[in-house]
Amino acid sequence: MGNELSIRRYRPDDGPRVRDLHETAMRDANAYVEGVPDDDLESITETFLEPGGEFLVGERAGRIVAMGAFRPVDDSAHIATVVSDLGDAAAEVTRLRVAPDAQRRGYGRQLYRELEERARSRGVEQFVLDTRPTQTAARGLYDTEGFEAVCREWVEAFDDPFELIFYRKSIADDGFR
């Protein structure tokens, strides 16, 4: 019973635990960029929930061990300039994390599938996302969930440049599942 994942919507009092999970998971994947602010995690309601997105947390035995979100893609978003022909019904999947000591139990897949179901029910037809090559577990999940890698790009914005892989997936309600 204590190993079952309970998925629910983010609440403002989850903030510190969500930020801790993000940093722990990113450090474990060798993908954490020191000193880069995570402004979206400081304003989850305004960044994800109010514009029609979603932010979910997965709890096990009262501890947040997984999280993930999606938000509508607007024309000004960097991902919209990299991944072409998105259309109006596209959303970006982001902040999908699982605590290192809770990985390989299917929690990331459960949380992702709940995000996809909620997005589809809101009329989202396409998901896009980016990840670093070092995030092999995430890349494996995206591959098995039907995402297609569409391009790679080097980000030079910080002191330590890094590469991103961009993915897309149609989630239009076509009876698949």
Side-chain angles (χ1 to χ4, degrees):
M1 192 149 162
N3 280 335
E4 292 179 22
L5 189 69
S6 172
I7 298 174
R8 64 169 173 79
R9 189 173 226 204
Y10 168 88
R11 296 186 301 244
D13 63 333
D14 294 328
R17 296 187 297 161
V18 161
R19 289 187 296 276
D20 287 345
L21 171 58
H22 165 70
E23 183 174 339
T24 300
M26 293 298 282
R27 285 186 186 280
D28 186 69
N30 196 27
Y32 187 74
V33 181
E34 198 72 49
V36 174
D38 294 307
D39 295 336
D40 62 326
L41 294 180
E42 298 294 332
S43 58
I44 289 173
T45 299
E46 298 81 7
T47 303
F48 297 98
L49 305 178
E50 288 177 357
E54 188 62 86
F55 198 106
L56 302 176
V57 297
E59 289 182 308
R60 186 186 75 209
R63 177 178 164 228
I64 294 177
V65 297
M67 65 186 223
F70 71 82
R71 61 181 165 205
V73 175
D74 65 34
D75 291 337
S76 66
H78 178 70
I79 201 161
T81 64
V82 176
V83 181
S84 61
D85 303 323
L86 289 181
D88 293 334
E92 176 185 15
V93 176
T94 187
R95 302 304 190 188
L96 192 57
R97 310 278 184 261
V98 177
D101 64 347
Q103 291 178 0
R104 307 207 50 81
R105 296 182 181 143
Y107 298 155
R109 179 169 274 97
Q110 283 179 262
L111 202 127
Y112 167 77
R113 287 183 176 172
E114 182 65 22
L115 285 169
E116 185 176 301
E117 184 177 310
R118 291 183 186 209
R120 190 179 292 115
S121 74
R122 295 180 194 173
V124 174
E125 296 178 355
Q126 190 169 181
F127 267 165
V128 291
L129 60 86
D130 62 63
T131 193
R132 293 180 63 175
T134 58
Q135 293 176 269
T136 55
R139 290 175 53 211
L141 172 66
Y142 304 142
D143 289 343
T144 61
E145 288 299 320
F147 280 85
E148 175 189 0
V150 293
C151 64
R152 291 175 175 247
E153 178 182 278
W154 278 92
V155 176
E156 303 280 344
F158 309 109
D159 290 339
D160 188 15
F162 56 89
E163 186 178 22
L164 288 176
I165 304 171
F166 292 85
Y167 290 84
R168 77 184 320 152
K169 175 185 178 182
S170 172
I171 65 166
D173 196 4
D174 57 7
F176 176 72
R177 250 324 217 176

